[in-house]
Structures are given as C-alpha cells and as structure tokens.
C-alpha cells in the first residue's frame, strides 16, 4: 500500500458509531493518500506500505477535524451595545422591534466592503480553527438585498479558498425584514417575493449557495413564507435547513421534517410531535448552547425527547454578532455538556459525525475511516472527555485538511 503520509504514535477517536466509546483506537496509525484516509487502525496491524512522509505524534489524540455547522461568521460591525442592553433588562424581542438586532447588523454589513468583511471574518475564524475546526458553515442574512447577500456569500466562498477550512454556504434571505420593506403587509410581502424569486436564483446561478436556511419565528417569518422559500430551493436542487422553535413553539421542527430539511437548529421550544417527526424524517437537531447562554434562556432543548426519538444531535457555535458571539468550538462542546447535559461523547459526536450530517457531508467528513477526507485535529489531551472538560485551555496541537498539515 502506498501512502503520502503516515501518522503514528497516537491514539485515535474515529467517532465511528457503534463499538467502543468514541470509536477509540489506542496506539493507532493512519495512512493517507491523495488527501483521503486509506487505512486507520492499531499500529500493530499496519499493512505493508510505503509512505513518503511520517508524522509521529508523541502519544497525542487524533479526532476528526471539528465541524461548526451553524455560523453567521461574515458580518459588519458588532452589537456589544445590545449585549449591555440585555444585561440591563431589555429582551432580544424588544431590541429587535426597536430597530436593533439583526437590522443593525444589516446596516453595517451593507456599508462594509468585501475586503473588510473578509478581514473581520478571519479574525473570528481564528478562534474556530484554534479549537480544531476544519469545516465551517457560513450563512448570509445580514445583507437582505440582492447585492449585499451575494457579497456575503462571495466572502464565504473566498474564506473556503484561502483560509484553510472547508466552507459550506447557506442562503438566509429570510432572516429579517429589511428596514426599507417595513411598515405595511404589502411591503413585507414584496420583500419575501424578492428574497425567494430574485435574490436566491441570482446567488444560485453565481454558484454561491450550498443550502437554503430561514428564520421561522413570530418576530421573523411564518411557516407559510418559509414553505414558499423551501419549495423554490427544492426546485433549484438545493437542500434546506431551518432556525426553528428558538423563542417559541412555532411548529418549526415539524415544518423542517415536512420539507426533509438537513437540520432544525435551536429547537428549545419544539414539541414532542415535532421531535418525533424530525426523527422519522432524519432531520438533525443542531444545538446552539452559545445563544442559549448569551440570551440567558431557561428552557433548554428537549434532549430526552431527542434521544427517545433517535434524533441525531449536532453542536455548533452559532457565531454571530448579536446572540452568540462565540468563536470557540471546544467552548460550544463544553456548554452543550454543562447546560444541556450531553455526555462528552455525545457532544464530540455532535461536533463531528452529526455535524457532517447537518451539512450533507457525512460521506466525506465527520469520522476517521477509509475513504473519508483526511481532515484531522490533533490534541494535547490524555482522554477525549477533556475536550468537554476544559473551558478556555488551549488543547489543539495541529490540524490537517485533506492530509495537509495546517497552521493553527
């Protein structure tokens, strides 16, 4: 067997489902060729091989590269002032209805150049890559007009080309109603038409869209409006995902299931009927503990129901300027355990195997197995549970994407 790279003197958490916890292999080795894993297993069982290069890891642990499957990484400005307002008693809904929230980020994003948006996104991406991320989903949704939404998505594509991470983009045109379309039902309907019939097709033709997302809440968009968007996405051959049931029970989980969405994200207020529908449809639940923490919510996602109905649980940062200024994937893992009572193994699976499913990439990444891309995170830990145990301690030794070692 020929290999470009042999990784040895390590322990591997393959995160392959079933068998031993974490899919762990003690004293392991990995063979990589053409950016993909061709063999992984106990070092004692290494097949006869020729490797062009060998990296000995001095007993470190290797996991799949972490996957942040829900971010709003590209935006202008920040909303630290609103953070202060919330601490003084204002609610997220009050701030949004007063013209703050998402709309304030829209103003700053529209005014920013592509280079400015790229530079600011890289500053946040550094926190993610320093905590083991090799794949990141990036949404639009702070432009809310034809040019600005496409601008955001072009920046996301540039990050994927230049910044050492695999990027999946999501069009989030139904994120908020922009200021120029507020004031009447007719104006709002005109924006929904624009987002569905103009902006989405234009971004799709430009090759900027991997999936379509929407925000389904009373302060955002209705189930009927979202269904129209999802029908258009299906006609374009694009998968869908949904911000669902974060602030109230709006039937978002069931809506995501009806449209066979890749994921329903947040879902703190989802009902058992909605959760059961997700399980039957294979929809991944994306848990976002950063937003839960920063909004000081008190109703956690229904974890027991998700387990009962066999719903895969992914974990992500929801990195955004307003409700989750979180730029650490290991912090999200820790918070998922502490706030939602996931086990460390469940949380790590949520940042690897299940996150890959939430992006439609489970055939490529998320576990360490032959045929998968060689996206790896190498950790200075003695057992995988430390990734959930430590909050703020630097644990990453190095990353690999497609078998190439990256700077952290």
């Amino acid at each position: 067997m020929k290999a470009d790279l042999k990784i040895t003197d390590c322990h591997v958490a393959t995160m392959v489902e079933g068998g031993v916890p974490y899919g762990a292999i003690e004293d392991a080795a990995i063979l990589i060729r053409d950016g993909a894993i061709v063999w992984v297993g106990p070092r004692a069982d290494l097949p006869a091989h020729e490797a062009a290069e060998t990296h000995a890891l001095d007993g470190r642990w290797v996991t799949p590269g972490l996957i942040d499957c829900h971010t709003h990484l590209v935006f202008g400005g920040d909303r630290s002032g609103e953070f202060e307002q919330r601490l003084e008693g204002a609610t997220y809904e009050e701030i949004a209805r007063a013209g703050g929230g998402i709309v304030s980020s829209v103003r700053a994003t529209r005014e920013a150049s592509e280079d400015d948006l790229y530079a600011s996104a890289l500053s946040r991406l550094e926190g993610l890559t320093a905590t083991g991320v090799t794949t990141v989903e990036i949404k639009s949704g702070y432009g809310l007009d034809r040019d600005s939404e496409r601008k955001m998505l072009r920046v996301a594509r540039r990050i994927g080309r230049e910044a050492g991470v695999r990027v999946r983009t999501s069009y989030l045109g139904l994120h908020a109603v922009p200021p120029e379309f507020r004031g009447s039902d007719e104006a709002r309907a005109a924006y929904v038409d624009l987002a569905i019939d103009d902006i989405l097709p234009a971004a799709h033709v430009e090759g900027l869209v991997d999936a379509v997302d929407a925000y389904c809440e009373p302060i955002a968009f209705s189930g009927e409006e979202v269904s129209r968007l999802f029908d258009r996405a299906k006609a374009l051959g694009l998968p869908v995902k949904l911000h669902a049931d974060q602030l109230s029970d709006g039937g978002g989980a069931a809506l995501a299931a009806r449209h066979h969405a890749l994921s329903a994200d947040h879902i703190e207020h989802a009902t058992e009927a909605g959760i059961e529908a997700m399980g039957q449809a294979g929809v991944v639940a994306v848990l976002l503990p950063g937003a839960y923490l920063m909004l000081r919510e008190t109703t956690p996602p229904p974890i027991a129901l998700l387990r009962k109905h066999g719903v895969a649980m992914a974990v992500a940062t929801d990195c955004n300027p307003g409700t989750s200024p979180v730029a650490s994937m290991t912090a999200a893992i820790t918070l998922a355990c502490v706030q939602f009572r996931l086990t460390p193994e469940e949380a790590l699976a949520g940042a690897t195997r299940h996150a890959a499913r939430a992006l439609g990439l489970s055939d490529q990444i998320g576990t360490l197995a032959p045929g998968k891309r060689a996206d790896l995170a190498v950790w200075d830990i003695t057992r995988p549970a430390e990734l959930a145990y430590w909050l703020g301690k630097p644990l990453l030794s190095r990353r690999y994407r497609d078998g190439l070692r990256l700077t952290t």
Side-chain angles (χ1 to χ4, degrees), residues 106-371:
V106 169
R107 289 191 293 269
T109 301
R110 288 179 175 180
E111 293 169 359
S113 69
E114 289 192 27
D115 285 343
D116 288 342
L117 290 175
Y118 179 75
S120 66
L122 287 189
S123 71
R124 295 180 282 274
L125 182 67
E126 287 175 0
L128 300 181
T129 57
T131 52
V133 169
T134 54
T135 297
V136 60
E137 184 256 17
I138 302 175
K139 305 179 190 296
S140 68
Y142 292 129
L144 305 184
D145 64 31
R146 197 175 200 264
D147 291 340
S148 301
E149 285 290 290
R150 289 160 54 234
K151 175 174 69 173
M152 291 184 69
L153 292 166
R154 284 195 296 269
V155 171
R157 285 283 190 242
R158 181 179 171 188
I159 291 169
R161 292 193 304 270
E162 300 177 6
V165 290
R166 196 179 307 278
V167 168
R168 297 291 280 183
T169 60
S170 295
Y171 168 69
L172 185 56
L174 294 192
H175 195 197
V177 178
E180 64 270 25
F181 286 92
R182 295 189 173 193
S184 72
D185 291 342
E186 291 77 10
R188 175 194 176 91
Y191 175 69
V192 172
D193 290 344
L194 178 72
I196 295 172
D197 298 328
D198 184 343
I199 304 175
L200 171 58
H204 176 59
V205 166
E206 206 172 327
L208 298 175
V209 183
D210 295 320
V212 173
D213 199 348
Y215 186 23
C216 186
E217 283 286 349
I219 64 169
F221 295 92
S222 69
E224 292 78 13
E225 290 166 330
V226 171
S227 288
R228 279 188 55 206
L229 172 70
F230 284 2
D231 288 342
R232 187 58 182 267
K234 183 178 180 180
L236 294 173
L238 295 169
V240 299
K241 50 210 292 109
L242 185 65
H243 288 61
D245 302 331
Q246 177 188 9
L247 305 174
S248 62
D249 172 21
L255 177 65
R258 285 198 300 275
H259 287 275
H260 297 279
L262 290 172
S263 69
D265 302 24
H266 290 290
I267 64 165
E268 282 90 335
H269 294 271
T271 64
E272 181 164 9
I275 296 298
E276 183 177 11
M278 287 175 59
Q280 292 172 350
V283 179
V284 177
V286 178
L287 308 180
L288 303 169
Y292 182 88
L293 173 73
M294 297 303 292
L295 290 174
R296 297 188 293 175
E297 294 289 349
T298 57
T299 301
I303 301 301
L305 293 177
L306 293 168
R307 291 172 177 148
K308 174 182 175 182
H309 293 290
V311 178
M313 294 181 286
V315 174
T317 65
D318 193 15
C319 180
N320 75 68
T323 62
S324 188
V326 176
S328 166
M329 196 62 209
T330 50
I333 289 171
T334 301
L335 292 174
C337 293
V338 174
Q339 296 184 133
F340 301 158
R341 309 306 290 268
L342 267 63
T343 67
E345 184 178 5
E346 284 178 321
L348 186 55
T352 54
R353 181 172 73 241
H354 298 319
R357 272 189 60 188
L359 297 181
L361 295 176
S362 56
D363 61 332
Q364 300 177 44
I365 57 175
T367 59
L368 301 183

Side-chain angles (χ1 to χ4, degrees), residues 30-101:
I30 305 170
L31 296 179
I32 297 166
R33 184 175 65 241
D34 296 330
I37 297 169
V38 293
W39 188 87
V40 57
R43 181 163 53 169
D45 296 340
L46 259 173
H49 63 277
E50 297 177 12
E53 189 174 357
T54 298
H55 292 181
L57 299 185
D58 300 322
R60 292 180 172 90
W61 275 89
V62 181
T63 70
L66 301 190
I67 302 165
D68 196 349
C69 64
H70 182 130
T71 86
H72 305 254
L73 198 69
V74 175
F75 57 83
D78 74 36
R79 280 151 55 190
S80 56
E82 293 177 14
F83 174 63
E84 290 182 305
Q85 286 180 272
R86 292 200 304 273
L87 292 176
E88 292 166 359
T91 68
Y92 179 68
E93 293 93 333
E94 288 169 345
I95 292 170
R97 294 189 190 281

